[in-house]
Amino acid sequence: MEKNVYKEIVQILAKTFKLDPNLIKPQALLKDDLGLDSVDIMDAICLFEEQFKIKILQDLNSIKIPLETVDDLNKFIQEKSSEKV
Amino acid sequence: MDISQLKEIVTSKEGKHCVKFDITLGDTNAMGGVVYFSNFVRWQGVVRELIMKQKCDFRKIMSQPLQMITHSCSVRFSDHLYFGDVVRIEVQTKQVLPTSFIMLFNYFNDGTNALVAIGEQKITFSDSKTGQLCRIPEEIYKLAKEVEIRNE
């Protein structure tokens, strides 16, 4: 399950922002390594909401994990997915 | 350009919003020379909002606690326009995502059909109460999707 979520995150990032999937490593920095800006990250979060059927935007100001790396995103989505269950 | 110069806004079968208007002396650099470069950027702003106003209830949308933000814009020039020319701007979109999209502007001399410039701008929206980026209003999202270029 966890691996599937990570895989889907990589697929969404690669497809949406035309990135080489091989560059999307867990420790890759969203801004510095992948070249994403705050608007791109917000677009990605909305796509994750749709893909994983979770609510993120309403809690955006209370995010405790800093969303700096791909792994941060992964952990955050996992956390939100488990809340849903 | 002001509203009195606007000839028409049509959506073509090819999925482009097309806007035509006359070039006046006020659009040129001085003494009726070439159109001043910054007008091409200004027209992007005017044209996008005229399209949104004509194709959806833009006033109602913007009366919500919402800000439309221009994230970036650019123009690349290949020829001049002059006083008396009619400019035709064809507008399409790409990368229409939940919170942002890119508008593409092809500027033609309508008399000669020559492409004189191409431009693009990325637009996003924020909640004016919180300053937080937010989803594109549904009506504008649909409008952007109508003329989206895919598989570029």
Side-chain angles (χ1 to χ4, degrees), chain B residues 87 100 125-126:
Chain B
V87 61
S100 70
F125 290 83
S126 74

Side-chain angles (χ1 to χ4, degrees), chain A residues 16 37 39-40 42-43 46 49-50 60-61, chain B residues 71 95 97-100 122 124 132-133 135:
Chain A
T16 307
D37 64 19
V39 176
D40 297 328
M42 182 60 84
D43 274 319
C46 289
E49 275 195 331
E50 291 163 14
L60 213 55
N61 292 326
Chain B
H71 170 281
Q95 292 172 33
L97 295 171
T99 68
S100 70
K122 185 171 178 176
T124 187
Q132 186 69 58
L133 292 171
R135 285 180 183 267

Side-chain angles (χ1 to χ4, degrees), chain A residues 30 63-69 71-73:
Chain A
L30 299 172
I63 294 175
K64 290 172 190 161
I65 309 167
L67 298 179
E68 291 176 354
T69 65
D71 196 43
D72 290 340
L73 273 180

Side-chain angles (χ1 to χ4, degrees), chain B:
Chain B
M1 175 191 38
D2 63 39
I3 195 72
S4 64
Q5 293 167 254
L6 192 68
K7 289 201 179 293
E8 55 186 327
I9 300 175
V10 294
T11 304
S12 69
K13 284 177 190 166
E14 299 82 37
K16 295 171 185 172
H17 297 309
C18 302
V19 179
K20 287 183 191 181
F21 53 92
D22 289 316
I23 304 292
T24 63
L25 286 173
D27 294 316
T28 62
N29 55 1
M31 306 292 285
V34 299
V35 169
Y36 194 58
F37 77 97
S38 64
N39 282 320
F40 287 77
V41 176
R42 190 171 63 85
W43 293 339
Q44 285 189 13
V46 175
V47 165
R48 72 177 184 187
E49 287 148 34
L50 287 174
I51 291 170
M52 288 176 191
K53 187 165 174 263
Q54 188 180 86
K55 303 283 181 181
C56 56
D57 197 344
F58 189 48
R59 275 191 179 178
K60 189 178 169 191
I61 292 166
M62 294 312 293
S63 69
Q64 298 168 49
L66 193 70
Q67 288 175 323
M68 186 165 76
I69 299 168
T70 307
H71 170 281
S72 55
C73 73
S74 65
V75 182
R76 195 167 77 221
F77 301 95
S78 51
D79 206 347
H80 292 300
L81 286 172
Y82 297 89
F83 165 69
D85 287 340
V86 173
V87 61
R88 183 177 82 250
I89 304 178
E90 296 183 352
V91 182
Q92 288 181 287
T93 61
K94 67 175 183 180
Q95 292 172 33
V96 181
L97 295 171
T99 68
S100 70
F101 62 97
I102 293 173
M103 293 187 87
L104 304 167
F105 300 84
N106 283 337
Y107 305 76
F108 293 89
N109 180 329
D110 197 51
T112 63
N113 213 31
L115 180 68
V116 297
I118 58 172
E120 66 176 57
Q121 64 172 253
K122 185 171 178 176
I123 297 172
T124 187
F125 290 83
S126 74
D127 181 324
S128 57
K129 285 184 181 165
T130 63
Q132 186 69 58
L133 292 171
C134 62
R135 285 180 183 267
I136 302 168
E138 198 177 340
E139 270 190 273
I140 293 179
Y141 183 81
K142 280 183 188 165
L143 187 61
K145 275 287 185 189
E146 268 179 31
V147 293
E148 183 182 22
I149 295 174
R150 292 166 203 271
N151 303 322
E152 227 196 347

Side-chain angles (χ1 to χ4, degrees), chain A residues 13 15 60 77:
Chain A
L13 291 176
K15 187 181 169 198
L60 213 55
I77 301 297

